[in-house]
Amino acid sequence: MNVTAQSVWDNCLSFIKDNIQPQAYKTWFEPIKPVKLTNKALSIQVPSKFFYEWLEEHYVKLLKVALVKELGNNARLVYIIKMENTYGNKKPFTEKIPSANRSNVKAQEIDVPIKNKSPELKNPFIIPGIRNVKIESQLNPNYNFDNFLEGDSNRLARSAGMAVANKPGGTSFNPLLIFGGVGLGKTHIAHAIGVEIKDKYPEKTVLYISAEKFTQQYIESVKKNTRNDFIHFYQLIDVLIIDDVQFFSGKSGTQDVFFHIFNHLHQNGKQVILTSDKAPVDMQDIEQRLLSRFKWGLSAELQTPDFETRVSIVKNKLYRDGVEMPNDIIEYVAKNIKSNVRELEGAIISLIAQSSFNKKEVTIDLAKQVVEKFVKNTKREVSIDYIQKVVSDYFQMDVSTLQSKTRKRHIVQARQLAMFFAKKFTKASLASIGSQIGKRDHATVLHACKTVDNLSSTDKQFRKYVEDLTKKLSL
Ligand code: ADP
Ligand code: MG
């Protein structure tokens, strides 16, 4: 039989598949493409540097065994990094890293300048009058990786966070920017990374701070004429975690000082971790030079967790609190509270409280009441992603088809319906709807809304679509 890169890799895969979890296989091995085979060297293409680092970190032994089985003792693996969908605006590049070489290289030693132990150093965390030399990390140990449940919605962010925690400053994710909507776990992951680093590297100075507090400290330092001390303090930190950087919007002084601190830390191989409620491209009133730095490392999105993940989050929380609750109730709550983990937890807590105060059993009826309050109080808004999903499912096509540039009539109609419902059910602007549904402009969205209005008054079949979808979306 002809031995090709493909055949060798296929055999490796079937061996690997038998030896790891299906989810891990899917995440880390399915995306790999075998590219070529020369002598005993198999070249495989991986989608990012992160991917390559992850494979080397976790699966190098398995890969080696599989490859030696196929190609004999002097088998070699060559990674080709091909970034197709890059995060940020880095140009795609191809880099070859022979695995054999890399394994000989010890973790890169970074020369860190001797810390300046000047007694004058002002620590903005010091309450005046209290001497405090050690920098307290301000971390919350209750937010750790163990209790941050993994799901498709957070896998990238969680894995990247763990990679950073294993080698702070030593991966290509610097800065690591975690972004996503309210209550999806940004603060939790940010702490978890810090907690893990403190655990692994107790000698490292880790600092967690909200962007808001950072801003206040900065303003204070300007008032007191201690701006240099402020900068100096932050430049001494090994791992700086800043939560909710969107707060820097429009604050040019704070942005400027953060820019200098960031550069210093980055140049010295220190790790910076940021969170934000938006992707860098969508951040408003943040200087370009800062935005471009945010994109240097990795931006990982936290999405809304799927139903299974929501159920596991709830179960885990109940388990930790030592509370038992029937499965159908857990599922009812998880089914109805979708977009925010904090609300999900809130509903469960409220349910427990109600049942214990009133000495009532937790029943489906009680759950319904509680959920109703939560859902009402928070003005549930369907997301544009959700609308696209529902519309594509209804017409039995993929979301990517719905978004594609094609002019096929039924696809165009589906896309117009998605735009129409996005306008109807969300507060998003026409421009924002357009950019989320296949990168169209606001005029296209406006046209879509008009077309749907017209068609539903003239075309019976079309009216049925609108009615069905309205029902599905308002459930
Ligand atoms: P954000 O900072 O994004 O607004 P938080 O980090 O404050 O969100 O998370 C809100 C709540 O949801 C926290 O109590 C957090 O522990 C919990 N949470 C979010 N995601 C998860 C998860 N995947 N597993 C467990 N708990 C989670
Ligand atoms: Mg937060």
Side-chain angles (χ1 to χ4, degrees), residues 224-415:
K224 293 202 180 120
N225 232 339
T226 55
R227 187 176 182 271
N228 285 343
D229 292 329
F230 175 87
I231 295 175
H232 197 168
F233 169 83
Y234 275 94
Q235 288 179 340
L236 292 180
I237 287 162
D238 297 315
V239 178
L240 178 59
I241 306 169
I242 301 201
D243 202 0
D244 290 322
V245 289
Q246 75 276 2
F247 190 83
F248 288 161
S249 286
K251 303 187 172 65
S252 55
T254 313
Q255 287 181 33
D256 186 55
V257 80
F258 178 64
F259 180 76
H260 290 295
I261 292 168
F262 178 91
N263 286 343
H264 182 95
L265 294 177
H266 198 270
Q267 275 158 20
N268 288 288
K270 307 301 179 68
Q271 180 71 45
V272 178
I273 297 149
L274 309 168
T275 77
S276 163
D277 67 353
K278 294 179 201 64
V281 280
D282 297 323
M283 288 184 199
Q284 306 280 323
D285 296 320
I286 302 258
E287 281 177 52
Q288 205 49 47
R289 56 179 188 166
L290 210 49
L291 282 184
S292 85
R293 269 154 185 78
F294 289 174
K295 296 176 193 161
W296 275 359
L298 177 76
S299 308
E301 181 172 11
L302 285 177
Q303 290 160 333
T304 46
D306 55 26
F307 175 69
E308 277 77 37
T309 312
R310 296 199 297 275
V311 169
S312 346
I313 291 175
V314 172
K315 286 194 174 159
N316 185 265
K317 169 136 191 71
L318 291 170
Y319 174 77
R320 274 182 287 123
D321 294 350
V323 177
E324 281 186 17
M325 198 175 279
N327 265 333
D328 54 339
I329 296 193
I330 296 176
E331 286 177 7
Y332 179 82
V333 176
K335 192 161 174 229
N336 287 283
I337 301 190
K338 297 179 185 144
S339 57
N340 182 327
V341 179
R342 193 178 293 131
E343 278 174 21
L344 188 60
E345 290 184 342
I348 291 290
I349 293 167
S350 156
L351 204 50
I352 298 169
Q354 295 254 4
S355 84
S356 61
F357 286 149
N358 308 332
K359 302 226 163 22
K360 272 199 246 167
E361 260 205 67
V362 182
T363 58
I364 276 281
D365 275 341
L366 187 59
K368 274 189 185 147
Q369 285 169 28
V370 167
V371 164
E372 219 163 81
K373 264 188 215 134
F374 263 83
V375 174
K376 251 191 225 139
N377 284 344
T378 53
K379 291 199 270 21
R380 193 166 57 109
E381 185 180 287
V382 286
S383 70
I384 295 181
D385 283 346
Y386 179 69
I387 292 172
Q388 296 188 75
K389 175 105 192 23
V390 169
V391 174
S392 333
D393 283 353
Y394 181 77
F395 290 110
Q396 293 173 347
M397 59 179 76
D398 293 333
V399 173
S400 59
T401 310
L402 178 134
Q403 295 180 338
S404 67
K405 299 277 180 240
T406 175
R407 291 172 182 279
K408 288 205 185 100
R409 204 172 104 93
H410 71 288
I411 298 174
V412 173
Q413 276 192 350
R415 188 160 59 233

